[in-house]
Amino acid sequence: MSTRDRFVRIAGALAVASMAFASSAALAAWEPTKPVEFVVPAGTGGGADQMARLIQGVVAKHNLMKQPLVVVNKSGGAGAEGFLDIKGAKGDPHKIVVTLSNLFTTPLATGVPFNWRDMTPVSMMALDNFVLWVNAETPYKTPKDYLAAVKAAGPSKMKMGGTGSKQEDQILTVGIEKISGTKFIYVPFKGGGEVAVQLVGKHVDSTVNNPIEAVAQWRAKQLRPLCVFDEKRMPYPAKITDTQSWQDIPTCKESGLDTSYTMLRGIFMPPGVTDDQKKFYVELLKKVRATPEWKDYMEKGAFNQTYMDGDAYFQWLGKAEQMHRELMKTAGFLSN
């Protein structure tokens, strides 16, 4: 073989190796290079906080990510603190945030300069239900029983506890008032965990807490669920108490209280991140959803297990924002 032929072969081999290396580099997926801050725009103990910490634990247990997730609660300003933090972290792929429907209600109620479009939607993990709860020592067995007592007591005599002001719980409370002709004193607390404790202590007469925020007190026979505000009953037949499962709780509509509402549990990133960085979290969260821990959590918390990502999620968010705008306008909660 001539020197020239050897040179051509070597050059060709180098070219192939170079192309393979370039292709391999192109296929190498992005992943975090330092701890990821997982922002919760709500207080500790509530539904959003519980979901974030469950995801944190699942990721660590199953080694789904080389870097740790670090949960940080930023609940100031009805969650505005957390959302503005993510909005201001443009291009930072080492921050994610778990959202609830204060994603819509907080800017609409306060005028804070933030919109869900200021962040990067990653995926809808589930929709959270709301249940009308009363203390188990009260005589009320149905929404009709309870609302009749509220009406008999007179306007602003009985207290409805909820998380935050002009947010999901109070919006739902106003809806109940308009449909039933009642009027509550709405008492806001920092998180759903505190709301459940206040109802056990009889400091309020009822709540519209999420299932997971009050399941421990229900199991302990301290609280009683009257109805769920979803379109369908929760599809979970396992008994929580000696006699009842989530599936046994009627919908509010079938109980004569004609209203429904579910709440987003979604994940977002800051604006300006790359498609590869977003894809990493989409795939990570799919792995989380496939674990037995997640499935157990969904059942114990009686979630509506709707999942979305990509364009379907983006379109859903736009419709949900408009729905919340209309609900808050009806309630008189809009900032302008």
Side-chain angles (χ1 to χ4, degrees):
M1 183 183 296
S2 69
T3 302
R4 183 176 181 279
D5 287 342
R6 284 198 198 95
F7 179 79
V8 169
R9 284 193 176 185
I10 292 170
L14 287 172
V16 170
S18 178
M19 289 173 61
F21 178 80
S23 175
S24 175
L27 292 173
W30 178 89
E31 60 182 274
T33 56
K34 62 181 183 179
V36 174
E37 186 175 295
F38 198 173
V39 175
V40 179
T44 58
D49 182 65
Q50 291 185 44
M51 179 171 283
R53 294 181 190 278
L54 184 280
I55 292 172
Q56 177 191 43
V58 168
V59 168
K61 178 179 178 180
H62 294 278
N63 297 311
L64 301 181
M65 191 169 80
K66 294 177 182 177
Q67 297 292 334
L69 279 174
V70 181
V71 175
V72 181
N73 295 82
K74 298 185 178 181
S75 60
E81 176 190 7
F83 293 133
L84 291 174
D85 178 63
I86 297 297
K87 176 183 177 180
K90 185 175 182 180
D92 184 356
H94 294 93
K95 277 181 181 279
I96 60 174
V97 60
V98 59
T99 63
L100 47 160
S101 293
N102 63 352
L103 177 71
F104 312 113
T105 59
T106 293
L108 289 170
T110 65
V112 66
F114 168 79
N115 183 275
W116 65 267
R117 294 175 179 83
D118 294 329
M119 303 189 299
T120 301
V122 177
S123 60
M124 175 194 290
M125 296 300 287
L127 293 171
D128 209 345
N129 282 308
F130 283 84
V131 171
L132 178 61
W133 300 91
V134 294
N135 190 291
E137 294 180 6
T138 64
Y140 317 120
K141 298 296 193 295
T142 68
K144 185 177 179 180
D145 295 341
Y146 177 58
L147 293 173
V150 176
K151 189 175 289 188
S156 301
K157 296 295 183 182
M158 298 182 76
K159 298 176 181 177
M160 177 75 83
T163 300
S165 297
K166 299 182 179 179
Q167 296 181 47
E168 304 88 359
D169 295 29
Q170 191 171 11
I171 291 170
L172 194 46
T173 299
V174 171
I176 294 170
E177 291 174 338
K178 290 183 179 297
I179 290 169
S180 63
T182 55
K183 181 64 177 176
F184 292 93
I185 299 172
Y186 178 79
V187 184
F189 299 98
K190 288 184 178 180
E194 184 182 0
V195 172
V197 170
Q198 293 297 320
L199 183 56
V200 170
K202 301 181 181 179
H203 302 295
V204 293
D205 299 290
S206 57
T207 69
V208 284
N209 236 353
N210 303 128
I212 202 165
E213 295 172 333
V215 64
Q217 291 84 357
W218 181 29
R219 186 178 289 110
K221 300 180 181 179
Q222 296 171 314
L223 299 184
R224 178 184 299 127
L226 299 183
C227 65
V228 61
F229 291 91
D230 204 348
E231 294 290 339
K232 297 180 180 179
R233 289 196 181 200
M234 296 173 280
Y236 301 107
K239 296 297 183 188
I240 303 299
T241 68
D242 296 340
T243 58
Q244 278 191 304
S245 68
W246 291 117
Q247 196 174 61
D248 293 323
I249 301 172
T251 67
C252 295
K253 283 191 173 184
E254 71 181 274
S255 303
L257 183 57
D258 191 13
T259 186
S260 62
Y261 183 83
T262 54
M263 181 170 65
L264 172 67
R265 296 294 186 192
I267 306 295
F268 285 73
M269 295 174 70
V273 297
T274 68
D275 288 343
D276 282 349
Q277 291 164 346
K278 174 182 172 180
K279 184 179 179 181
F280 171 84
Y281 290 104
V282 170
E283 296 304 319
L284 173 71
L285 293 166
K286 284 181 179 178
K287 292 173 185 175
V288 168
R289 294 183 75 254
T291 64
E293 291 85 0
W294 179 263
K295 293 173 182 177
D296 183 61
Y297 173 72
M298 286 287 101
E299 181 171 352
K300 285 181 177 176
F303 286 90
N304 176 324
Q305 295 192 49
T306 302
Y307 172 85
M308 292 182 195
D309 59 38
D311 188 61
Y313 185 30
F314 190 89
Q315 296 299 323
W316 183 93
L317 288 165
K319 292 176 182 177
E321 178 186 25
Q322 184 56 35
M323 179 195 74
H324 281 87
R325 186 182 301 278
E326 292 169 2
L327 287 171
M328 292 183 72
K329 183 178 180 180
T330 300
F333 291 164
L334 291 178
S335 64
N336 50 42

